[in-house]
Structure formats: C-alpha cells, structure tokens
Amino acid sequence: MANLTSDFIGIKSPNPFWLASAPPTDKKYNVERAFQAGWGGVVWKTLGSEGPPIVNVNGPRYGAVWGADRRLLGLNNIELITDRPLEINLREIKEVKRKWRDRALVISLMVPCDEESWKDILTRIEDTEADGVELNFGCPHGMAERGMGSAVGQVPEYIEMVTRWVKKYSRMPCIVKLTPNVTSILPPAIAAHRGGADAVSLINTIKSITNVDLDNFSPFPMIDGQGSHGGYCGPAVKPIALNMVGEIARHSETRGLPISGIGGVTTWRDAAEFLAMGAGNVQVCTAAMTYGFKIVQEMISGLSQYLDDKGMALSDLVGRAVPNFVEWQDLNLNYVTKARIDQDACIKCGRCFAACEDTSHQAIFMHPGRVFEVNDAECVACNLCVDVCPVEDCITMVELPKGTVDPRTGKVVGDYANWTTHPNNPSARAAE
Amino acid sequence: MTHRQLAPGIVPGRLPAETIACNFADVLAPLDPHEARVAADRCYFCHDAPCITACPTSIDIPLFIRQIATGTPDAAARTIWDQNILGGMCARVCPTETLCEEACVREAAEGKPVEIGRLQRFATDGAMAKGHPYTRAPVTGRKVAVVGAGPAGLACAHRLAMLGHDVVVYDQRPKPGGLNEYGIAAYKATDGFAQAEVDWLLAIGGIDLRLGQALGRDFSLADLRATHDAVFLGIGLPGVNALGIPGEGLAGVHDAVDFIAELRQADLSTLPIGRDVVVIGGGMTAVDAAVQSKLLGAENVTLVYRRGRDRMSASGYEQDHAAQAGVKLVFNAVPLQVLGQGRAEAVEFAYAVDGVPGPETFLLKADQVFKAIGQRLVGVPADVARDGAKLAPQPLPGVWAGGDCTGGGEDLTVTAVAQGRDAAHAIHTALMGA
C-alpha cells in the first residue's frame, strides 16, 4: 500500500482526503463519525461572528440534478454558515482536536469585512488547537447579500486585504477559499497570494437553479412557492473546478501556491485527477452527503493501488499534468487521429451513426446488418462517437503515423506544428 | 401431498382452491413506477432501433421508453397504440424473447435486454385506466363487415372506425376477443384483462359487435359482400389437426385448444384435470396446456414433441417456463396409439429421428391426453384466393383477410394486429381512393 500521508502547508493528515466546510462538518457528532470512517481531515463548517446565531430556512435546503437511475449528479444548496452558537462550536472543535490528534482540523471563517471582526474571531479560535483557518470567500447565497462570502471573493482587493488581516492577527496557516462565480479565477488567486495566503482552496459552489417546479412555477428548492439561487456542487461541477485548479497551478504568478482541490470529487480517480492538476490535497462534500462517510475507504484503497501500479509517491502525482495543460494555440495541428470501431465489441446500437450523421461530419457508414464503419475520408476525429458509444473502448482514436496521408485532407502527416505558425493565422510568426 | 391430488382419473380440485388461485396469478408482476423508471433508463435510444424492426407492428419502442423515462407514460401508451391498439395484451403475451427483446442491443451487450414487454404493460395499463384516447374521423358513410372479434378483427375494426367507417363485427363465440379470451394461458391475462381491453377498444364508437354469429351458419360471405362496402376476415384457424392414430377417440383425449378455452372460462377450483397428463405437440398451445395442467394439480405432465428441442416453435423461454413448472419435456418421439379400456390409460410412443419413428417404443401413463399439433383453416368458400393452406391477404375482390387464417408471419397476436391494422388501411384506400 502506497503511503498516503499528507503534509499540506504543514498540516499533517493520514491521507489527502478532507471533508470540505459544509453540512457534514457542522458539529462534533458528524466529524467524529467522519474520522472513524477514515477521513484524513475536515474543514469545520464556517463560523461567523459572535452574536445571534444564523437563521436558516425551514423548508427544503437542497435541490438536485439526477442522471440515469436517479444517480445524483449535482446538488444545490441554500444553507447558510453554521447556525449553532459560536461557543458550542469552539468547545466541540477543541474536544475533537484533542481526541483526534493525527487528523487535520481546519476552521472555516466568514465574518463582516472589517478588521475588527476578523481580529475578534481569530482571537476567539486561538485556543481551539485547530491546525489552520480557511477563509470562506466563496458562498454565493445568503451571506453574499450581506457583504460576505462570494461578495468578498469577487473583489480581489478585498481578498488581499482580509488575507493580510488574518496573517497579521493569527499564527495559523491560512487557506483562502475561492468562488468560481467570477470571470477569471486568476485575479482572486493572485490577490490571495499577495495577501500572504498559505494556500487557496477551490472551488466553492456555483450560483445555480437546479430546476423549476412546473406546477408551481417556482425555482427549486421551493420555499412557500418561491425559490432563490443556491450553490451548485457535486460531480457536475468537477470539470469547472479542474480547469480553475489547473489555471492557478500553471500561472506564472500563482505557480507553487498550494491548492486544496474541491469540486465534485466522488471517487479516488476524481481525487487523483485533482492532484495531477496541481492540488496538494482534496476536499469532499457532495459524495459524502450522497453515500455517507464510508466512501473514503474506496478513495484510500483506489489511490493507493493507483500509486502502487504507477510506482509513484503521492508527491510525484501532485501537479504531474500541469505542464501538459496548455493553450489551444499550443496544440499540435499535425496530430491526426481517426475513429476506429471494434466490430467485436460493437453492440450495433447505432448511436455513433446518429450522432455523426445528424450532428457532425457524416463520417460513419451504416452497412447492411447494422455494421458501422468509419469513413476516414470524412472523419475529423471529433471524438463524439467515442463519447456517445455505450460500450467502453469500443470506439477508439487511432493516430495516423507520421508520413502517412490523411485521406480527409490529402496531406501528409508532418511534424509538430501549431496555430502560431499556421499559414492561415494572420498573426503567425515564421518558424525560426 | 393430499389424497385428492393422487385421485385417479380426471377430477376437479386436486389442489386447494387458494393454491390454484395462487398458481394462476399474474405470471409476471407489473412494474411499479420506480421499477419502470429504472428499466426505462437502460434503453440506449438506438438509431433505427433493431427492436422496432423486430416488432411485427413496428412500435417505436425507443420513443415510448424515453417517454416513460421522462415521466409521460400516457404519451408512451399513445406511441404504442398508434401502431398496436392491442398493445396491452401484446405486452403480456408476445414472445418478446424472440422479438423485440431478442433484438435489443443490451441482449448482445449483457445478455439482459431492456424489459420492453413489461415497460409496454406499464404504459398501457396506466393509460387504459384513463379511458379511450382516440376519436373518429368524420363519418364516411361506408360500412365494413369484420368476421372474427379476435386480435386481427379488432385491430382492423378499430382502425376502420378511427378512419370514419362504420364497422359490424361478427363472432361466433359468446364473448369477443378471440384467442385473447379463449386461447392464451390464464396467468398471462389475469383479472379479465381480455374483456376489459375489448371494452376499452370499442369505446371509440362506430363498431357494432354481433356475437354468436357464425360464418356459414348464420350468414354467408356472399351476404356480407352484398350488404357491406368491404369485408375483413379474421377467422383464425378453427380446425384442429388430428393425430390419426388408434385410440384417438377414447374418452380423455382432447384438443388442447378446447381445454385452454374451457379453462379460460371456468372456475378453476372445479375444473377437472387428470393425474397423468400427456400433451402432444411443440408449440405455444402445447406449452400452455401442459403448464396449466400442472398448475391445476396434475401429478405428472409430459409434453412430447416429435422432433428435437431446437425445432420446437415454443421459445426457449417458454420451454424453460414449462420445465420450471414441473412439466417433463420429451423430444424426438411420435405417438403410435392411445391405449385404454373405454377411456385413455396410456399412450404408446416410438422414438424418432427428425419426426420419423424408429423401432424402439415406450409407454406413458395417461388418463388425459391433449393434442396440440396445429390448427388449420376450415369453413371458407372454395373460390377464395389462397396462400398455401391459408387465405391470401385479399382472398376475393372487396374482401381482405388477416391474422392466423392468412399466411405470412408467425401465428402471433402481434402479427394478427399488424395484419388487421394494415388491412384497414388497404380497405380505406380502396373505399376512399388514395
């Protein structure tokens, strides 16, 4: 078994799987169950300032998007930060940390955007013995309207300012949690970096309406016939999160800034992908809310086996895919592939044909007997047939060897060449 | 085992009434909404789907399954009924394992097809309860006679009524439905479904049903041609093939179709059955007779077929169903004679090679023998056009035919529906012009 011990900005945990700040980490009872199940760490659900506790709605808090067989693909929530008194949370955090010394315990914070509020909360959590703080600049619902959460995360200057206060008033490692509800994730990440953040974590949830109740004509979750936007999470958001993590990991101004990857991590494979994309660890919420805490055991065994099979250490995996995350203009235009249909594996559903014929390049023949065959002279290698085929590996993309002629273009497959030097590019530079 | 079960001869009540009731309950329970959604999610929505091609009525199966999956099962039922107005019965009795479900790509992929038949039943059962969905086109003033209120006749009558024609349906039996009511194993169409479906179908209006009226007895084909604008014959195969062996006339030797028809109308707890039953034949009728004999409490039921298992017209699924019910299947044996003093006591068989008897023989104890070696066309005028031993699709000018009485396709409910429906369109074109 590979060693999964994780050291993320000095915070140690037996594995890189943390539970994100969210409903599953709201209190001692849940967090202890998570640790018993094997989670490496938790980010305690966001604490607010001292004062009257937060109020939540008393109708549905969650909406969902389902795939086949009601498999939950996306979850949307309108729950706010913790609605329990601050003192109780602080006491329980301390109790849990003392009992579970080997686990990471980070406290998520969200208070009004003034120096005193931050100074005060940081003082209050000082003696919990927690391992670090995570600044919640991400939640897009409820708190944002009060000038907190994503309202801060959408203004890089505020991120930098608050991060500086936190570093000024606390010795704890500081993770800045970013909202994806921005045009580009880079300015907020750069701001966090400038403010002295030890790491960023992303993504928080995405502003969303999961569905509309067609009898009551209200967004869902519906409260007394009305709905507001919530924060979207779960497997559906993973592609958005991976891109944002990768953008930060490769950018010159943020390269090397530790990243805690969040967004739809459901299996060990998702986690491995985040790590390869530059995350130092991952945080999970929706998968645990869907299946319970036990899923971490599959994540642990799966990631261990993968690392063993590859002969890699955990640290070898982190950022491994970042150098290959390039811009479109860097892609090799002389890399030519053609779809190949494995006739033995084909079950003759014809979805590749329908997709190609109706919506792509008319590059699949339908022969008598429902035999489907790719027409290389038309195939642009778009991969749609691969994507819609219900049989894994039945359709694959085969590379044309260098020197052969692409029957579609009539051109010989040549050496690497990209758009920057392409003759059709008005601003192409001559190859040097 | 009770004393009653071991009683010799042909007696009622071999099993307690509640056991018989349980034995004849719905053979395949209906899907509940959750099960239907899970089953529907498995459909790949194939291009030019093989299941549609495999369906004699060409139901757009991927479309109706998608309609179920998206929460509109009534729309799914419309998709089914547009092609097959008896989609409810076909969902129950179609040998889907040799039709749509055999063609399903998930059968190729996993050996486990989408449960098309059960999904069809889910859609049609739900929508049937909400009444009849079709309306008639403006009345054309044309009148068409339909002979036979079986699947072919009903499908033809309904489509003709929909197209605006007035239809008179004649049937010699006291109830409509044909083999849906008098054939088919009872556990496939429980709770009076056949009659309920006919009532629902007739609700379109414009169909005058005349029961107890037999062709050749109460009216002639010439009468109908003289008094109607067109005639459709969906008369099935009323003649039963004989074994042609000594002892066939002994008491206790019956036609399987008569037994099945009687069973469908009977109080099963009082229906007599033999202790040792022998069924001769290899089709669905033979299987239905054998299985139901077993379910009524016969101790030993043997189905004997003259050729090998692979030649049986009953599907592998049906063969397994029979075996599971406790029916013993014997292949490659032909009957030589029925033995007995005044009533059947045993049947003598010879082992055979490809239906040809050899020298070796054996005896099977039998107080009841069911013959199920096929039916044939009888009772039609000599001057009609034929397709082999059956009727041609248009046997006479102004006369169309469909269902088991015609050649082409297998003798299945779903085939009869397709032929009846298509004949209705042919009649419509002939009456109204293209």
Side-chain angles (χ1 to χ4, degrees), chain A residues 164-221:
Chain A
R164 282 193 199 285
W165 294 336
V166 173
K167 291 310 290 181
K168 180 173 160 189
Y169 294 113
S170 174
R171 54 167 183 81
M172 289 180 170
C174 168
I175 305 167
V176 173
K177 187 164 180 178
L178 301 179
T179 175
N181 299 296
V182 290
T183 312
S184 168
I185 198 66
L186 290 172
I190 292 166
H193 196 29
R194 285 195 188 135
D198 298 288
V200 289
S201 58
L202 69 161
I203 58 174
N204 203 308
T205 58
I206 303 171
K207 274 179 98 161
S208 61
I209 293 170
T210 50
N211 55 300
V212 174
D213 184 310
L214 288 177
D215 295 316
N216 296 291
F217 304 102
S218 158
F220 199 86

Coordinates of all heavy atoms in Angstrom, one line a residue, chain A residues 164-221:
Chain A
R164 N -4.5 39.7 4.5 CA -3.4 40.4 5.2 C -3.8 40.5 6.7 O -3.0 40.3 7.6 CB -3.2 41.8 4.7 CG -2.4 41.8 3.4 CD -1.9 43.2 3.1 NE -1.5 43.3 1.7 CZ -0.3 42.8 1.2 NH1 0.5 42.2 2.1 NH2 -0.1 42.8 0.0
W165 N -5.1 40.8 7.0 CA -5.5 40.9 8.4 C -5.3 39.6 9.1 O -4.9 39.5 10.2 CB -7.0 41.3 8.5 CG -7.3 42.7 8.0 CD1 -6.4 43.7 7.9 CD2 -8.6 43.1 7.5 NE1 -7.1 44.8 7.4 CE2 -8.4 44.5 7.2 CE3 -9.8 42.6 7.3 CZ2 -9.5 45.3 6.7 CZ3 -10.9 43.3 6.9 CH2 -10.7 44.7 6.5
V166 N -5.7 38.5 8.4 CA -5.7 37.2 9.0 C -4.2 36.8 9.3 O -3.9 36.3 10.4 CB -6.3 36.1 8.1 CG1 -6.1 34.7 8.7 CG2 -7.8 36.4 8.0
K167 N -3.4 37.1 8.4 CA -1.9 36.8 8.6 C -1.4 37.7 9.7 O -0.4 37.2 10.4 CB -1.1 36.9 7.3 CG -1.5 35.9 6.2 CD -1.4 34.5 6.7 CE 0.0 33.9 7.1 NZ -0.1 32.5 7.5
K168 N -1.9 38.8 9.8 CA -1.4 39.8 10.9 C -1.8 39.3 12.3 O -1.1 39.4 13.2 CB -2.0 41.2 10.5 CG -1.6 42.3 11.5 CD -2.2 43.6 10.9 CE -2.2 44.7 11.9 NZ -3.0 45.9 11.4
Y169 N -3.1 38.8 12.4 CA -3.6 38.5 13.7 C -3.6 37.1 14.1 O -4.0 36.7 15.2 CB -5.0 39.0 13.8 CG -5.1 40.5 13.7 CD1 -5.7 41.2 12.7 CD2 -4.5 41.3 14.8 CE1 -5.8 42.6 12.6 CE2 -4.6 42.7 14.7 CZ -5.2 43.3 13.6 OH -5.3 44.7 13.5
S170 N -3.1 36.2 13.2 CA -3.1 34.8 13.5 C -1.8 34.1 13.1 O -1.2 34.4 12.0 CB -4.3 34.1 12.9 OG -4.2 32.7 13.1
R171 N -1.3 33.2 13.9 CA -0.1 32.4 13.5 C -0.5 31.2 12.7 O 0.3 30.4 12.2 CB 0.6 32.0 14.8 CG -0.4 31.2 15.7 CD 0.2 30.4 16.9 NE -0.9 29.7 17.5 CZ -1.5 28.6 17.1 NH1 -1.0 28.0 16.0 NH2 -2.5 28.1 17.7
M172 N -1.8 31.0 12.6 CA -2.3 29.7 11.9 C -2.1 29.8 10.4 O -2.2 30.8 9.8 CB -3.8 29.5 12.1 CG -4.1 29.1 13.6 SD -5.9 28.9 13.6 CE -6.1 28.2 15.2
P173 N -1.8 28.6 9.8 CA -1.8 28.5 8.3 C -3.2 29.0 7.8 O -4.2 28.7 8.4 CB -1.6 27.1 8.0 CG -1.0 26.5 9.2 CD -1.5 27.3 10.4
C174 N -3.1 29.7 6.7 CA -4.3 30.4 6.2 C -4.6 29.9 4.8 O -3.8 30.1 3.9 CB -4.2 31.9 6.2 SG -5.4 32.8 5.3
I175 N -5.8 29.3 4.6 CA -6.2 28.9 3.3 C -7.3 29.8 2.8 O -8.2 30.1 3.6 CB -6.8 27.4 3.3 CG1 -5.8 26.5 3.9 CG2 -7.2 27.0 1.9 CD1 -6.3 25.1 4.2
V176 N -7.3 30.3 1.6 CA -8.3 31.2 1.1 C -9.2 30.4 0.1 O -8.7 29.9 -0.9 CB -7.7 32.5 0.4 CG1 -8.8 33.3 -0.3 CG2 -7.0 33.3 1.4
K177 N -10.5 30.3 0.5 CA -11.4 29.5 -0.4 C -12.0 30.5 -1.4 O -12.6 31.5 -1.0 CB -12.4 28.9 0.5 CG -13.3 27.9 -0.3 CD -14.1 27.0 0.6 CE -15.0 26.0 -0.2 NZ -15.7 25.1 0.7
L178 N -11.9 30.1 -2.7 CA -12.3 31.0 -3.8 C -13.6 30.6 -4.4 O -14.0 29.4 -4.4 CB -11.2 30.9 -4.9 CG -9.8 31.3 -4.5 CD1 -8.8 31.2 -5.7 CD2 -9.8 32.7 -3.9
T179 N -14.3 31.6 -4.8 CA -15.6 31.4 -5.5 C -15.3 31.2 -7.0 O -14.5 32.0 -7.6 CB -16.5 32.5 -5.2 OG1 -17.7 32.3 -6.0 CG2 -16.0 33.9 -5.6
P180 N -16.1 30.3 -7.6 CA -16.0 30.2 -9.1 C -16.9 31.2 -9.8 O -16.9 31.2 -11.0 CB -16.4 28.8 -9.3 CG -17.4 28.5 -8.3 CD -17.0 29.3 -7.1
N181 N -17.6 32.0 -9.0 CA -18.6 32.9 -9.7 C -17.9 34.2 -10.1 O -18.2 35.3 -9.7 CB -19.7 33.2 -8.7 CG -20.5 31.9 -8.4 OD1 -21.1 31.3 -9.2 ND2 -20.4 31.5 -7.1
V182 N -16.8 34.0 -10.9 CA -16.0 35.1 -11.4 C -15.7 34.9 -12.8 O -15.8 33.7 -13.3 CB -14.7 35.3 -10.6 CG1 -15.0 35.8 -9.2 CG2 -14.0 34.0 -10.6
T183 N -15.3 35.9 -13.6 CA -15.0 35.7 -15.0 C -13.7 35.0 -15.1 O -13.5 34.1 -16.0 CB -14.8 37.1 -15.7 OG1 -16.0 37.9 -15.3 CG2 -14.7 37.0 -17.2
S184 N -12.7 35.3 -14.3 CA -11.5 34.5 -14.3 C -11.1 34.2 -12.8 O -11.2 35.1 -12.0 CB -10.3 35.3 -15.0 OG -9.1 34.7 -14.7
I185 N -10.6 33.1 -12.6 CA -10.2 32.7 -11.3 C -8.8 33.3 -10.9 O -8.5 33.3 -9.7 CB -10.2 31.1 -11.1 CG1 -10.2 30.7 -9.6 CG2 -9.0 30.5 -11.8 CD1 -11.5 31.1 -8.9
L186 N -8.1 33.8 -11.9 CA -6.7 34.2 -11.6 C -6.6 35.4 -10.7 O -5.8 35.4 -9.7 CB -5.9 34.3 -12.9 CG -5.7 33.0 -13.6 CD1 -5.1 33.2 -15.0 CD2 -4.7 32.1 -12.8
P187 N -7.3 36.5 -11.0 CA -7.2 37.7 -10.1 C -7.5 37.4 -8.7 O -6.7 37.8 -7.8 CB -8.2 38.7 -10.7 CG -8.3 38.3 -12.2 CD -8.2 36.8 -12.2
P188 N -8.5 36.6 -8.3 CA -8.7 36.3 -6.9 C -7.6 35.5 -6.3 O -7.1 35.7 -5.2 CB -10.0 35.5 -6.9 CG -10.8 35.9 -8.1 CD -9.7 36.2 -9.1
A189 N -7.1 34.5 -7.1 CA -6.0 33.7 -6.6 C -4.7 34.5 -6.4 O -4.0 34.3 -5.4 CB -5.7 32.5 -7.6
I190 N -4.4 35.4 -7.4 CA -3.3 36.2 -7.2 C -3.4 37.1 -6.0 O -2.4 37.3 -5.3 CB -3.1 37.1 -8.5 CG1 -2.7 36.1 -9.7 CG2 -2.0 38.1 -8.4 CD1 -2.8 36.8 -11.1
A191 N -4.6 37.6 -5.8 CA -4.8 38.5 -4.6 C -4.6 37.8 -3.3 O -4.0 38.3 -2.4 CB -6.2 39.1 -4.7
A192 N -5.1 36.5 -3.3 CA -4.8 35.7 -2.1 C -3.3 35.5 -1.8 O -2.8 35.6 -0.7 CB -5.6 34.4 -2.2
H193 N -2.7 35.2 -2.9 CA -1.2 35.0 -2.9 C -0.5 36.3 -2.4 O 0.3 36.2 -1.5 CB -0.7 34.6 -4.3 CG 0.6 34.0 -4.3 ND1 1.1 33.3 -3.3 CD2 1.6 34.0 -5.3 CE1 2.3 32.9 -3.6 NE2 2.6 33.3 -4.8
R194 N -0.9 37.4 -2.9 CA -0.3 38.7 -2.5 C -0.6 39.0 -1.0 O 0.3 39.6 -0.3 CB -0.8 39.8 -3.3 CG -0.2 39.8 -4.7 CD -0.5 41.2 -5.4 NE -0.1 41.1 -6.8 CZ -0.8 41.6 -7.8 NH1 -2.0 42.2 -7.6 NH2 -0.4 41.5 -9.0
G195 N -1.8 38.6 -0.6 CA -2.1 38.9 0.8 C -1.4 38.0 1.8 O -1.6 38.2 3.0
G196 N -0.7 37.0 1.3 CA 0.1 36.2 2.2 C -0.6 34.8 2.5 O -0.2 34.1 3.4
A197 N -1.6 34.5 1.7 CA -2.3 33.2 1.9 C -1.2 32.0 1.8 O -0.4 32.1 1.0 CB -3.4 33.0 0.9
D198 N -1.4 31.0 2.7 CA -0.5 29.9 2.6 C -1.0 28.9 1.5 O -0.2 28.1 1.0 CB -0.5 29.1 3.9 CG 0.1 30.0 5.0 OD1 1.3 30.2 5.0 OD2 -0.7 30.5 5.9
A199 N -2.3 29.0 1.2 CA -2.9 28.2 0.1 C -4.2 28.8 -0.3 O -4.8 29.6 0.4 CB -3.1 26.8 0.7
V200 N -4.7 28.3 -1.5 CA -6.1 28.6 -1.8 C -6.8 27.2 -1.9 O -6.2 26.2 -2.1 CB -6.2 29.3 -3.2 CG1 -5.7 30.7 -3.1 CG2 -5.4 28.5 -4.3
S201 N -8.1 27.3 -1.7 CA -8.9 26.1 -1.9 C -10.0 26.5 -2.9 O -10.5 27.6 -2.8 CB -9.5 25.6 -0.6 OG -10.2 26.6 0.1
L202 N -10.3 25.6 -3.8 CA -11.4 25.9 -4.8 C -11.8 24.6 -5.4 O -11.0 23.6 -5.5 CB -10.9 26.9 -5.8 CG -9.8 26.5 -6.8 CD1 -9.9 27.4 -8.0 CD2 -8.5 26.4 -6.2
I203 N -13.1 24.6 -5.9 CA -14.0 25.8 -6.0 C -15.1 25.7 -4.8 O -15.4 24.6 -4.4 CB -14.7 25.8 -7.3 CG1 -15.5 24.5 -7.6 CG2 -13.7 26.0 -8.4 CD1 -16.4 24.6 -8.8
N204 N -15.6 26.9 -4.5 CA -16.8 26.9 -3.7 C -17.9 26.6 -4.7 O -17.7 26.3 -5.9 CB -16.9 28.2 -3.0 CG -17.8 28.1 -1.7 OD1 -19.0 27.6 -1.8 ND2 -17.4 28.5 -0.6
T205 N -19.2 26.7 -4.2 CA -20.3 26.3 -5.1 C -20.6 27.4 -6.2 O -20.2 28.6 -6.0 CB -21.5 26.1 -4.3 OG1 -21.8 27.3 -3.5 CG2 -21.3 24.9 -3.3
I206 N -21.3 27.0 -7.2 CA -21.6 27.8 -8.3 C -23.1 28.3 -8.2 O -24.0 27.5 -8.0 CB -21.4 27.1 -9.6 CG1 -20.0 26.5 -9.7 CG2 -21.7 27.9 -10.8 CD1 -19.7 25.6 -10.9
K207 N -23.3 29.6 -8.4 CA -24.7 30.1 -8.4 C -25.6 29.3 -9.3 O -25.2 29.1 -10.5 CB -24.7 31.5 -8.8 CG -24.5 32.5 -7.7 CD -24.5 34.0 -8.3 CE -25.8 34.6 -8.0 NZ -25.7 36.1 -8.1
S208 N -26.7 28.8 -8.9 CA -27.5 27.9 -9.7 C -28.9 27.8 -9.3 O -29.3 28.1 -8.2 CB -26.9 26.5 -9.6 OG -26.9 26.0 -8.2
I209 N -29.7 27.4 -10.3 CA -31.1 26.9 -10.1 C -31.1 25.5 -10.7 O -30.9 25.4 -11.8 CB -32.1 27.8 -10.8 CG1 -32.1 29.2 -10.1 CG2 -33.5 27.2 -10.7 CD1 -32.9 30.3 -10.9
T210 N -31.4 24.5 -9.9 CA -31.3 23.2 -10.4 C -32.5 22.8 -11.3 O -32.4 22.1 -12.2 CB -31.3 22.1 -9.3 OG1 -32.4 22.4 -8.4 CG2 -30.0 22.1 -8.6
N211 N -33.7 23.4 -10.9 CA -34.8 23.0 -11.7 C -36.0 24.0 -11.3 O -35.9 24.7 -10.3 CB -35.3 21.6 -11.5 CG -35.5 21.2 -10.1 OD1 -34.6 21.3 -9.3 ND2 -36.7 20.8 -9.8
V212 N -37.0 23.9 -12.2 CA -38.2 24.8 -11.9 C -39.4 23.9 -11.7 O -39.6 22.9 -12.4 CB -38.4 25.7 -13.1 CG1 -39.7 26.5 -12.9 CG2 -37.3 26.7 -13.3
D213 N -40.1 24.1 -10.6 CA -41.3 23.3 -10.3 C -42.4 23.7 -11.3 O -42.8 24.9 -11.4 CB -41.8 23.6 -8.9 CG -43.0 22.8 -8.5 OD1 -43.9 22.8 -9.3 OD2 -42.9 22.2 -7.4
L214 N -42.7 22.8 -12.2 CA -43.6 23.1 -13.3 C -45.1 23.2 -12.9 O -46.0 23.5 -13.8 CB -43.4 22.2 -14.5 CG -42.1 22.4 -15.2 CD1 -41.9 21.4 -16.3 CD2 -42.0 23.8 -15.8
D215 N -45.4 22.8 -11.7 CA -46.8 23.0 -11.2 C -46.9 24.3 -10.5 O -48.0 25.0 -10.6 CB -47.2 21.8 -10.3 CG -47.2 20.5 -11.0 OD1 -47.7 20.5 -12.1 OD2 -46.6 19.5 -10.5
N216 N -45.9 24.7 -9.8 CA -46.0 26.0 -9.0 C -45.2 27.1 -9.6 O -45.2 28.2 -9.1 CB -45.5 25.7 -7.6 CG -46.4 24.7 -6.9 OD1 -47.5 25.0 -6.5 ND2 -45.9 23.5 -6.6
F217 N -44.5 26.8 -10.7 CA -43.7 27.9 -11.4 C -42.8 28.6 -10.5 O -42.8 29.8 -10.4 CB -44.7 28.8 -12.2 CG -45.5 28.0 -13.1 CD1 -46.9 27.7 -12.8 CD2 -45.0 27.5 -14.3 CE1 -47.6 27.0 -13.6 CE2 -45.8 26.7 -15.1 CZ -47.1 26.4 -14.8
S218 N -42.0 27.8 -9.8 CA -41.0 28.4 -8.9 C -39.7 27.6 -9.0 O -39.7 26.4 -9.2 CB -41.5 28.2 -7.4 OG -40.5 28.3 -6.5
P219 N -38.6 28.4 -8.8 CA -37.3 27.7 -8.8 C -37.3 26.7 -7.6 O -38.1 26.9 -6.6 CB -36.3 28.8 -8.6 CG -37.0 30.0 -9.0 CD -38.4 29.8 -8.7
F220 N -36.5 25.7 -7.7 CA -36.4 24.7 -6.6 C -34.9 24.8 -6.0 O -34.0 25.0 -6.8 CB -36.7 23.3 -7.1 CG -37.0 22.4 -6.0 CD1 -38.3 22.3 -5.5 CD2 -36.1 21.6 -5.4 CE1 -38.7 21.4 -4.5 CE2 -36.4 20.8 -4.3 CZ -37.7 20.7 -3.9
P221 N -34.7 24.6 -4.8 CA -35.6 24.3 -3.7 C -36.7 25.5 -3.5 O -36.3 26.6 -3.5 CB -34.8 24.1 -2.5 CG -33.4 24.6 -2.8 CD -33.3 24.7 -4.3

